[in-house]
Amino acid sequence: MELISIPTGNFKLDGGAMHGVVPKSIWNKFNQADENNMCSWSMRCMLVSSGSRLILIDNGIGDKQDEKFMGYYFLHGDDTLDGSLNKAGISKDDITDVFLTHLHFDHCGGSVIRKTSGDGYETAFKNAKYWSNRKHWDWAVNPNMREKASFLKENILPIEESGQLNFIENEGEFIPGFDVKFVHGHTESMMIPIIEHKDQKVAFMADLLPSAGHIPVPYVMAYDTRPLITLDEKSKFLKDACDRNLVLFFEHDAQRECATLQWTEKGARLDRSFNLNEL
């Protein structure tokens, strides 16, 4: 399989919220905050080429939200979804599958665009199957008060209305060489792809591990709905990643695209970081 990094731009979130109970005096050394306590985060997606299939994993925040909404998140950087796909020689119409790890706006906003008439919305990838799972979809379309601001109906409902929505029923093999793991601490039934690439396995970390700075197990986002479950899921995943020498691909780390881990007396720690095209 061929894997291509698809950066879609950066945004900012509160550093304290991104690191939970860990004090700023510790996390600021790895993910440095600005004068407003905001840290810069990437929205880095991945294109998977396998035979006749072009699978886009997540697609960033999109560009259809109004100026007030975008102003909360301080979008910056030169990368865009369209620009990165064009750089890879791919058009949106070439995408056969859109794999959504979960439906928070910074992961799925590019799925849907405004109609050229300005009246309503339509899917951005006309020839693609969109993939979620039934438990997470139901969770997102009937949001709890904690996550309601992250599940935007204009990002979600047009996918179902288009007839392009498909569900992954169980974890395991999605296609040969592309496995899916379900995790439930950040939100209900988030999906983590683990993909074979050049005799290695690359794990697309989504929000289980937003950045290399979140590798220590207690570094859990305040955004997680079930932080104790996240602790358990991270512990097991990190041990397995060390045992199997997985490559971690970070969706939100603005400085580090990929990393490998080493096992220490304190548990998993960063070994080395590098770009995906260096594999």
Side-chain angles (χ1 to χ4, degrees):
M1 288 191 183
E2 182 183 1
L3 306 184
I4 302 172
S5 177
I6 302 292
T8 69
N10 296 342
F11 70 147
K12 289 189 176 185
L13 293 172
D14 183 84
M18 283 296 289
H19 296 89
V21 300
V22 179
K24 181 179 179 181
S25 58
I26 298 176
W27 60 252
N28 196 53
K29 297 174 184 177
F30 217 76
N31 290 319
Q32 194 165 23
D34 64 17
E35 65 277 6
N36 295 314
N37 207 48
M38 305 287 279
C39 297
S40 182
W41 307 97
S42 73
M43 291 177 284
R44 182 182 297 113
C45 308
M46 182 187 285
L47 188 66
V48 181
S49 177
S50 177
S52 62
R53 298 179 78 164
L54 280 173
I55 306 167
L56 180 64
I57 304 176
D58 286 354
N59 48 53
I61 200 170
D63 59 7
K64 65 183 175 296
Q65 303 303 324
D66 61 27
E67 185 176 349
K68 180 179 179 181
F69 179 90
M70 294 299 196
Y72 294 137
Y73 300 104
F74 305 95
L75 271 64
H76 57 285
D78 297 326
D79 294 314
T80 64
L81 175 60
D82 285 344
S84 292
L85 288 174
N86 290 340
K87 187 176 180 180
I90 302 296
S91 77
K92 285 181 174 177
D93 289 346
D94 295 327
I95 301 298
T96 63
D97 302 86
V98 176
F99 183 101
L100 300 170
T101 62
H102 61 300
L103 295 166
H104 288 166
F105 66 82
D106 54 314
H107 295 258
C108 75
S111 297
V112 173
I113 57 175
R114 290 186 182 273
K115 292 181 178 179
T116 53
S117 65
D119 182 23
Y121 303 97
E122 60 187 1
T123 53
F125 303 92
K126 300 301 182 186
N127 300 317
K129 294 181 177 180
Y130 283 70
W131 295 93
S132 182
N133 66 78
R134 196 173 301 277
K135 284 187 176 180
H136 183 68
W137 184 268
D138 290 345
W139 184 269
V141 298
N142 300 288
N144 59 75
M145 292 300 293
R146 176 79 176 272
E147 291 179 276
K148 188 173 183 179
S150 293
F151 290 131
L152 307 181
K153 63 181 183 298
E154 60 268 31
N155 285 339
I156 300 171
L157 298 184
I159 300 173
E160 184 174 32
E161 293 164 359
S162 73
Q164 294 171 260
L165 176 63
N166 295 265
F167 291 129
I168 294 172
E169 299 297 342
N170 300 294
E171 65 178 11
E173 186 179 83
F174 174 53
I175 62 172
F178 186 128
D179 292 340
V180 179
K181 180 178 179 59
F182 285 23
V183 291
H184 310 279
H186 178 61
T187 188
E188 174 65 38
S189 300
M190 181 171 70
M191 299 189 292
I192 304 296
I194 302 174
I195 305 158
E196 292 181 4
H197 177 62
K198 296 182 179 178
D199 298 321
Q200 294 180 282
K201 288 186 180 290
V202 179
F204 185 97
M205 295 311 304
D207 281 343
L208 178 62
L209 208 68
S211 76
H214 288 83
I215 291 171
V217 172
Y219 289 48
V220 172
M221 294 186 290
Y223 299 111
D224 285 19
T225 60
R226 303 167 179 142
L228 295 181
I229 292 178
T230 298
L231 286 171
D232 183 58
E233 289 172 340
K234 277 183 66 176
S235 295
K236 293 175 180 176
F237 183 90
L238 291 169
K239 182 64 168 65
D240 182 58
C242 288
D243 290 344
R244 298 166 63 193
N245 195 32
L246 296 182
V247 173
L248 310 184
F249 180 92
F250 299 117
E251 190 161 9
H252 287 315
D253 194 317
Q255 287 80 44
R256 295 159 287 267
E257 189 167 278
C258 297
T260 53
L261 303 175
Q262 58 181 326
W263 192 258
T264 74
E265 60 182 13
K266 294 183 178 181
R269 291 294 184 269
L270 179 67
D271 178 21
R272 65 186 186 94
S273 58
F274 47 91
N275 290 329
L276 182 62
N277 62 13
E278 296 178 60
L279 285 177

